[in-house]
Amino acid sequence: MAIKFDKKEQADKLIVIIHGEIDAYHSGEVKKFLKDLITESKTNKIVLDMSEVNYIDSAGLGSLVALYKDARMAEKELVLASLKQTVMRIFEMTRLDRVFKIVQTVEEA
């Protein structure tokens, strides 16, 4: 299954909706797409709407951690929103829920 991105700007934040799985096959694509956005975006907050992400593996987590560091270096905030229970459990197991700002809904971000 291919991975797709939709993006929309709201007042002070850029929302990126990710459709698909963030796994070893797609993590490079996710990383490149989002790294470019972090560099180009005028907004200081980038919200990843993960409501359409059913699965993430260690490669996907690694990409998100790298993006988190890129965002911090660019003085931007990376927020994860609307994680499915299965995906959230992986963040909790790896303790990455303590690293990332994770919110229930995009509106909360």
Side-chain angles (χ1 to χ4, degrees), residues 69-81:
K69 289 178 183 164
D70 291 340
R72 287 203 29 200
M73 282 175 64
E75 294 181 6
K76 295 184 181 176
E77 186 181 10
L78 189 64
V79 182
L80 306 183

Side-chain angles (χ1 to χ4, degrees), residues 13 45 47 79 81-82 101-109:
K13 60 191 171 199
K45 186 183 284 191
V47 181
V79 182
S82 308
K101 179 175 178 187
I102 300 176
V103 293
Q104 296 289 316
T105 64
V106 170
E107 291 72 37
E108 276 178 61

Side-chain angles (χ1 to χ4, degrees), residues 69-95:
K69 289 178 183 164
D70 291 340
R72 287 203 29 200
M73 282 175 64
E75 294 181 6
K76 295 184 181 176
E77 186 181 10
L78 189 64
V79 182
L80 306 183
S82 308
L83 276 71
K84 290 194 170 158
Q85 196 59 51
T86 49
V87 174
M88 186 62 200
R89 202 168 291 130
I90 293 166
F91 276 87
E92 288 166 354
M93 282 171 20
T94 55
R95 300 251 167 102

